[in-house]
Amino acid sequence: HIMGFGDNTDRIFETDECIKELVDYIKSLDKKVMLVGFSLGAQLAFKLVSLHEELFEAAIIVSPWLIKKEPLLSELAHLNIKQLKQLKNKLMCRIVGTMNGLPLNACKEFVLQMQNVEEDTMQNIVYNGISFESVPQFADVKIPIIALAGEKEQDEIHNSIKQMAEMNKNCRFEIWEKAGHNIPPLYAKKFNKLIRSMF
């Protein structure tokens, strides 16, 4: 539960602090791990493997948004606030959770947790400062990395994973047919098979 979400909604999301907390947590495990990140988690994963490669065996980065320019940044920030207001409606939130494949108990938790998410968190996840320009160290990462996107996702995400593969010879990309911004929950069988193959 990263800051700003889940059981951690009493705090506002802040990129550098979140990265520091994740690094401290992973170090406490006393072994290298495989990192899997989706959406905002994919952007955090991109920065984590770039700055702290020594902590990881491999990484799967799903639907990262790493090419960020105006006016899209402002549009998404506005859209995030609008969506947050919709998710404060518990029925709408339950529908979204169900559509994203959450089991009943997880869906109930999601509904309760979203009631406490702050607008500042939703702004900060858009303006998180993670991009190719801010994290050039990715070019030198030597662990195996797979970058994924769904066929129905925006060009910015497709171009992000393609640029990751162009930038780093240890990274390959895949675009999954028919998928949108929903690979982990709605393509779980194929996704889990990919995770197991990376081990």
Side-chain angles (χ1 to χ4, degrees):
H1 297 255
I2 63 170
M3 55 170 51
F5 296 98
D7 289 339
N8 221 343
T9 53
D10 56 328
R11 303 166 69 203
I12 302 298
F13 176 83
E14 198 279 314
T15 305
D16 291 338
E17 183 63 25
C18 185
I19 292 284
K20 180 185 178 306
E21 289 180 2
L22 289 167
V23 167
D24 290 345
Y25 172 72
I26 295 164
K27 282 181 177 177
S28 77
L29 301 174
D30 257 352
K31 60 182 176 180
K32 288 187 178 186
V33 299
M34 185 170 77
L35 182 63
V36 179
F38 169 57
S39 196
L40 172 61
Q43 294 172 64
L44 293 169
F46 175 80
K47 187 165 184 174
L48 280 165
V49 298
S50 299
L51 301 183
H52 300 280
E53 178 184 357
E54 72 282 358
L55 299 176
F56 305 105
E57 294 282 359
I60 299 176
I61 298 177
V62 188
S63 303
W65 175 38
L66 301 167
I67 301 170
K68 300 175 180 177
K69 295 178 181 170
E70 291 293 359
L72 186 59
L73 276 163
S74 296
E75 290 169 8
L76 287 177
H78 176 74
L79 183 61
N80 266 9
I81 298 304
K82 186 177 176 182
Q83 287 177 337
L84 178 63
K85 288 177 180 172
Q86 291 173 338
L87 291 173
K88 298 291 184 182
N89 176 312
K90 292 182 180 180
L91 176 60
M92 177 62 73
C93 196
R94 190 163 37 254
I95 291 168
V96 169
T98 302
M99 286 175 57
N100 280 289
L102 292 178
L104 183 60
N105 285 341
C107 193
K108 286 179 182 176
E109 278 185 12
F110 172 67
V111 170
L112 293 174
Q113 292 161 344
M114 285 307 298
Q115 305 315 301
N116 299 317
V117 174
E118 299 282 346
E119 285 190 11
D120 286 347
T121 284
M122 299 305 283
Q123 291 287 315
N124 289 356
I125 65 173
V126 173
Y127 295 104
N128 63 35
I130 300 172
S131 66
F132 288 113
E133 293 77 20
S134 69
V135 191
Q137 299 92 329
F138 181 76
D140 301 319
V141 175
K142 294 181 176 55
I143 63 170
I145 298 165
I146 298 176
L148 297 180
E151 177 184 41
K152 297 178 182 176
E153 293 195 88
Q154 299 94 334
D155 289 343
E156 287 81 6
I157 292 179
H158 291 166
N159 293 335
S160 290
I161 66 167
K162 289 174 184 175
Q163 190 167 329
M164 286 173 66
E166 289 168 8
M167 191 175 180
N168 187 307
K169 66 180 182 179
N170 298 303
C171 177
R172 68 178 172 89
F173 78 90
E174 296 179 13
I175 296 177
W176 286 11
E177 288 183 11
K178 300 180 182 176
H181 196 71
N182 56 14
I183 287 175
L186 296 188
Y187 293 80
K189 188 173 182 181
K190 182 178 179 182
F191 188 55
N192 287 337
K193 184 177 179 183
L194 177 67
I195 291 171
R196 285 193 298 272
S197 75
M198 287 290 280
F199 279 117

